[in-house]
Amino acid sequence: MAADFNAQAFSAVELIRTKRDGHRLPDEQVRWLIEAYTEGIVADEQMSAMAMAILFQGLDDAELATWTQAMIDTGVRLDFQALSRATSDKHSTGGVGDKITLPLAPLVAACGVAVPQLSGRGLGHTGGTLDKMEAIPGWQATLSNDQMMRQLEEVGAVICAAGDGLARADKKLYALRDVTGTVEAIPLIASSIMSKKIAEGTGALVLDVKVGSGAFMKTLDDARELARRMVALGKAADVTTVALLTDMSTPLGLTAGNALEVRESVEVLAGGGPADVVELTLALAREMLQAAGSDADPEKALADGSAMDAWKQMVRAQGGDPEAELPWAKETEDVVAERDGVLTQLDAMAVGVAAWRLGAGRARKEDPVQAGAGVVMHAKPGDRVTKGQPLLTLHTDTPEAFARAREALAGGIEIGDETLERQPLVIDRIS
Ligand code: URA
């Protein structure tokens, strides 16, 4: 707690009324509220009323900047200035089959810019980067700050667990929002993400704001608004920040599930992999390099094997064996096409929930995940399919999960007669 913090300075009820009635909160009240909540002086029920008031009334740009800074001030702030390389990071708002961090971090490192990826575990239908990396035998998510710095200097890329010390207010507030129907408030999402990313100490940041059925933001307008507010927060904190709006109406790539996605990422690093995963990896790498002031060509680093070398070094530095066989699930079952035609829909949310039910994700944060579970896709929207052809293969160690996974997919797969105009993957760029 700050030495001059005065628990009696304001009344939480007055602040809630101010926001409920659509007025702005002065800076000192915002700072007090965040600190008092983090220290347990403002009660959970008061903060949930405030979160709901913000969901309806919003925060203006200045309020949001103060709110975010107050959240950063509740924890530690990392500093990578001592590194010999510039740093650049990426944050995705989360999607199905979004394994992009895995090939992206070593790719950017191979181009000479350091990537400090402090990541989380998955909750719900989107997978977590740490869950994916933990499918690699021996790989450890937890690093000390010294280990992280050394690895960034020597290898150039780190994917590790974000310690509890960053933006402490966020941990408490996010858990509260999760159970009070207030996760969707755009200013609260923006401050939650940006407080952690700014506290992490990266010099540049590229945001991948997903839009579509499998994303937090279902509409383009909401995704644009979230991107605009996060970019403004980054700039206000002197972090060069750019956002890409990318499609999440269908899963990225051909896999959703932990070990399955690691395999696909390694294919990309080996010069293959699905076209959409390659396209987005390269688009984000270009943005990360440019934001860090580098004009290196990531396509070259992918083609000449240097990105693969950086991946192997990154995995080994954290105890993992990049050559080890990755786990497979014990059981598989195919979902087949019911008729001839063109696959017109493969819904991201349906596939994400199916993978989750098969064991790739968790319902509560203490639940274990199955490394081998998930969904392999054999066709994507726009592909011509024939009756009886496998569209998906479901993977699990717990075959009783197949029925619930199929239920999740019902309505998420459509086959029509018309050819389908493919939507662009990168929809917009906000800087
Ligand atoms: N991810 C976060 O870290 N915070 C949010 O509020 C939403 C997504």
Side-chain angles (χ1 to χ4, degrees), residues 119-136:
S119 303
R121 293 193 163 72
L123 196 60
H125 73 280
T126 62
T129 297
L130 298 183
D131 295 323
K132 295 172 204 198
M133 292 299 290
E134 280 173 345
I136 302 170

PDB file of all heavy atoms in Angstrom, residues 119-136:
ATOM      1  N   SER A 119       2.553 -15.211 -20.453  1.00  0.00           N
ATOM      2  CA  SER A 119       1.270 -15.753 -20.916  1.00  0.00           C
ATOM      3  C   SER A 119       0.482 -16.366 -19.774  1.00  0.00           C
ATOM      4  O   SER A 119       0.981 -16.529 -18.664  1.00  0.00           O
ATOM      5  CB  SER A 119       1.516 -16.821 -21.977  1.00  0.00           C
ATOM      6  OG  SER A 119       2.250 -16.270 -23.030  1.00  0.00           O
ATOM      7  N   GLY A 120      -0.750 -16.778 -20.123  1.00  0.00           N
ATOM      8  CA  GLY A 120      -1.619 -17.397 -19.119  1.00  0.00           C
ATOM      9  C   GLY A 120      -2.091 -18.765 -19.577  1.00  0.00           C
ATOM     10  O   GLY A 120      -1.800 -19.199 -20.693  1.00  0.00           O
ATOM     11  N   ARG A 121      -2.823 -19.407 -18.668  1.00  0.00           N
ATOM     12  CA  ARG A 121      -3.445 -20.689 -19.009  1.00  0.00           C
ATOM     13  C   ARG A 121      -4.851 -20.396 -19.530  1.00  0.00           C
ATOM     14  O   ARG A 121      -5.407 -19.326 -19.271  1.00  0.00           O
ATOM     15  CB  ARG A 121      -3.490 -21.591 -17.784  1.00  0.00           C
ATOM     16  CG  ARG A 121      -2.089 -22.008 -17.357  1.00  0.00           C
ATOM     17  CD  ARG A 121      -2.057 -23.142 -16.365  1.00  0.00           C
ATOM     18  NE  ARG A 121      -0.718 -23.702 -16.361  1.00  0.00           N
ATOM     19  CZ  ARG A 121       0.343 -23.092 -15.827  1.00  0.00           C
ATOM     20  NH1 ARG A 121       0.200 -21.920 -15.259  1.00  0.00           N
ATOM     21  NH2 ARG A 121       1.534 -23.648 -15.891  1.00  0.00           N
ATOM     22  N   GLY A 122      -5.405 -21.348 -20.258  1.00  0.00           N
ATOM     23  CA  GLY A 122      -6.718 -21.119 -20.871  1.00  0.00           C
ATOM     24  C   GLY A 122      -7.837 -21.334 -19.881  1.00  0.00           C
ATOM     25  O   GLY A 122      -7.720 -22.109 -18.948  1.00  0.00           O
ATOM     26  N   LEU A 123      -8.929 -20.609 -20.106  1.00  0.00           N
ATOM     27  CA  LEU A 123     -10.152 -20.838 -19.341  1.00  0.00           C
ATOM     28  C   LEU A 123     -11.274 -20.754 -20.374  1.00  0.00           C
ATOM     29  O   LEU A 123     -11.302 -19.829 -21.175  1.00  0.00           O
ATOM     30  CB  LEU A 123     -10.288 -19.732 -18.281  1.00  0.00           C
ATOM     31  CG  LEU A 123     -11.270 -19.974 -17.145  1.00  0.00           C
ATOM     32  CD1 LEU A 123     -10.918 -21.219 -16.342  1.00  0.00           C
ATOM     33  CD2 LEU A 123     -11.312 -18.773 -16.208  1.00  0.00           C
ATOM     34  N   GLY A 124     -12.171 -21.758 -20.344  1.00  0.00           N
ATOM     35  CA  GLY A 124     -13.260 -21.716 -21.309  1.00  0.00           C
ATOM     36  C   GLY A 124     -12.821 -22.235 -22.677  1.00  0.00           C
ATOM     37  O   GLY A 124     -11.898 -23.040 -22.778  1.00  0.00           O
ATOM     38  N   HIS A 125     -13.459 -21.702 -23.747  1.00  0.00           N
ATOM     39  CA  HIS A 125     -13.303 -22.327 -25.060  1.00  0.00           C
ATOM     40  C   HIS A 125     -12.023 -21.926 -25.784  1.00  0.00           C
ATOM     41  O   HIS A 125     -11.702 -22.485 -26.823  1.00  0.00           O
ATOM     42  CB  HIS A 125     -14.527 -22.004 -25.937  1.00  0.00           C
ATOM     43  CG  HIS A 125     -14.534 -20.576 -26.405  1.00  0.00           C
ATOM     44  ND1 HIS A 125     -14.947 -19.552 -25.598  1.00  0.00           N
ATOM     45  CD2 HIS A 125     -14.144 -20.014 -27.570  1.00  0.00           C
ATOM     46  CE1 HIS A 125     -14.821 -18.413 -26.256  1.00  0.00           C
ATOM     47  NE2 HIS A 125     -14.339 -18.664 -27.462  1.00  0.00           N
ATOM     48  N   THR A 126     -11.275 -20.908 -25.287  1.00  0.00           N
ATOM     49  CA  THR A 126     -10.025 -20.567 -25.979  1.00  0.00           C
ATOM     50  C   THR A 126      -8.860 -21.169 -25.191  1.00  0.00           C
ATOM     51  O   THR A 126      -8.847 -21.131 -23.968  1.00  0.00           O
ATOM     52  CB  THR A 126      -9.817 -19.041 -26.103  1.00  0.00           C
ATOM     53  OG1 THR A 126      -9.717 -18.476 -24.802  1.00  0.00           O
ATOM     54  CG2 THR A 126     -10.942 -18.383 -26.865  1.00  0.00           C
ATOM     55  N   GLY A 127      -7.900 -21.724 -25.893  1.00  0.00           N
ATOM     56  CA  GLY A 127      -6.781 -22.402 -25.231  1.00  0.00           C
ATOM     57  C   GLY A 127      -5.768 -21.391 -24.713  1.00  0.00           C
ATOM     58  O   GLY A 127      -5.687 -20.268 -25.200  1.00  0.00           O
ATOM     59  N   GLY A 128      -4.993 -21.801 -23.722  1.00  0.00           N
ATOM     60  CA  GLY A 128      -3.956 -20.919 -23.192  1.00  0.00           C
ATOM     61  C   GLY A 128      -2.597 -21.314 -23.748  1.00  0.00           C
ATOM     62  O   GLY A 128      -2.315 -22.503 -23.941  1.00  0.00           O
ATOM     63  N   THR A 129      -1.754 -20.304 -24.001  1.00  0.00           N
ATOM     64  CA  THR A 129      -0.428 -20.584 -24.567  1.00  0.00           C
ATOM     65  C   THR A 129       0.393 -21.505 -23.654  1.00  0.00           C
ATOM     66  O   THR A 129       1.089 -22.403 -24.138  1.00  0.00           O
ATOM     67  CB  THR A 129       0.308 -19.245 -24.803  1.00  0.00           C
ATOM     68  OG1 THR A 129      -0.442 -18.518 -25.763  1.00  0.00           O
ATOM     69  CG2 THR A 129       1.715 -19.453 -25.324  1.00  0.00           C
ATOM     70  N   LEU A 130       0.307 -21.295 -22.332  1.00  0.00           N
ATOM     71  CA  LEU A 130       1.106 -22.146 -21.440  1.00  0.00           C
ATOM     72  C   LEU A 130       0.641 -23.599 -21.510  1.00  0.00           C
ATOM     73  O   LEU A 130       1.462 -24.521 -21.470  1.00  0.00           O
ATOM     74  CB  LEU A 130       1.029 -21.651 -19.990  1.00  0.00           C
ATOM     75  CG  LEU A 130       1.576 -20.255 -19.721  1.00  0.00           C
ATOM     76  CD1 LEU A 130       1.507 -19.944 -18.235  1.00  0.00           C
ATOM     77  CD2 LEU A 130       3.008 -20.095 -20.220  1.00  0.00           C
ATOM     78  N   ASP A 131      -0.670 -23.818 -21.615  1.00  0.00           N
ATOM     79  CA  ASP A 131      -1.176 -25.195 -21.727  1.00  0.00           C
ATOM     80  C   ASP A 131      -0.599 -25.877 -22.975  1.00  0.00           C
ATOM     81  O   ASP A 131      -0.284 -27.057 -22.972  1.00  0.00           O
ATOM     82  CB  ASP A 131      -2.702 -25.212 -21.819  1.00  0.00           C
ATOM     83  CG  ASP A 131      -3.350 -24.694 -20.548  1.00  0.00           C
ATOM     84  OD1 ASP A 131      -2.822 -24.979 -19.464  1.00  0.00           O
ATOM     85  OD2 ASP A 131      -4.373 -23.989 -20.651  1.00  0.00           O
ATOM     86  N   LYS A 132      -0.476 -25.105 -24.046  1.00  0.00           N
ATOM     87  CA  LYS A 132       0.066 -25.669 -25.297  1.00  0.00           C
ATOM     88  C   LYS A 132       1.536 -26.026 -25.095  1.00  0.00           C
ATOM     89  O   LYS A 132       1.973 -27.140 -25.396  1.00  0.00           O
ATOM     90  CB  LYS A 132      -0.094 -24.668 -26.446  1.00  0.00           C
ATOM     91  CG  LYS A 132      -1.565 -24.416 -26.757  1.00  0.00           C
ATOM     92  CD  LYS A 132      -1.806 -23.296 -27.760  1.00  0.00           C
ATOM     93  CE  LYS A 132      -3.224 -22.792 -27.511  1.00  0.00           C
ATOM     94  NZ  LYS A 132      -3.875 -22.057 -28.458  1.00  0.00           N
ATOM     95  N   MET A 133       2.310 -25.069 -24.568  1.00  0.00           N
ATOM     96  CA  MET A 133       3.751 -25.312 -24.397  1.00  0.00           C
ATOM     97  C   MET A 133       3.996 -26.464 -23.422  1.00  0.00           C
ATOM     98  O   MET A 133       4.962 -27.216 -23.561  1.00  0.00           O
ATOM     99  CB  MET A 133       4.452 -24.045 -23.902  1.00  0.00           C
ATOM    100  CG  MET A 133       4.495 -22.904 -24.903  1.00  0.00           C
ATOM    101  SD  MET A 133       5.381 -23.294 -26.431  1.00  0.00           S
ATOM    102  CE  MET A 133       7.072 -23.392 -25.865  1.00  0.00           C
ATOM    103  N   GLU A 134       3.120 -26.616 -22.426  1.00  0.00           N
ATOM    104  CA  GLU A 134       3.314 -27.686 -21.433  1.00  0.00           C
ATOM    105  C   GLU A 134       3.064 -29.071 -22.020  1.00  0.00           C
ATOM    106  O   GLU A 134       3.352 -30.070 -21.367  1.00  0.00           O
ATOM    107  CB  GLU A 134       2.424 -27.429 -20.203  1.00  0.00           C
ATOM    108  CG  GLU A 134       3.071 -26.395 -19.291  1.00  0.00           C
ATOM    109  CD  GLU A 134       2.218 -25.923 -18.121  1.00  0.00           C
ATOM    110  OE1 GLU A 134       0.999 -26.166 -18.122  1.00  0.00           O
ATOM    111  OE2 GLU A 134       2.775 -25.287 -17.219  1.00  0.00           O
ATOM    112  N   ALA A 135       2.562 -29.143 -23.239  1.00  0.00           N
ATOM    113  CA  ALA A 135       2.445 -30.452 -23.910  1.00  0.00           C
ATOM    114  C   ALA A 135       3.824 -30.960 -24.331  1.00  0.00           C
ATOM    115  O   ALA A 135       3.986 -32.137 -24.648  1.00  0.00           O
ATOM    116  CB  ALA A 135       1.532 -30.328 -25.129  1.00  0.00           C
ATOM    117  N   ILE A 136       4.828 -30.086 -24.339  1.00  0.00           N
ATOM    118  CA  ILE A 136       6.186 -30.492 -24.744  1.00  0.00           C
ATOM    119  C   ILE A 136       6.872 -31.128 -23.536  1.00  0.00           C
ATOM    120  O   ILE A 136       6.994 -30.471 -22.492  1.00  0.00           O
ATOM    121  CB  ILE A 136       7.009 -29.266 -25.221  1.00  0.00           C
ATOM    122  CG1 ILE A 136       6.301 -28.572 -26.382  1.00  0.00           C
ATOM    123  CG2 ILE A 136       8.432 -29.677 -25.581  1.00  0.00           C
ATOM    124  CD1 ILE A 136       6.901 -27.227 -26.766  1.00  0.00           C
TER     125      ILE A 136
END
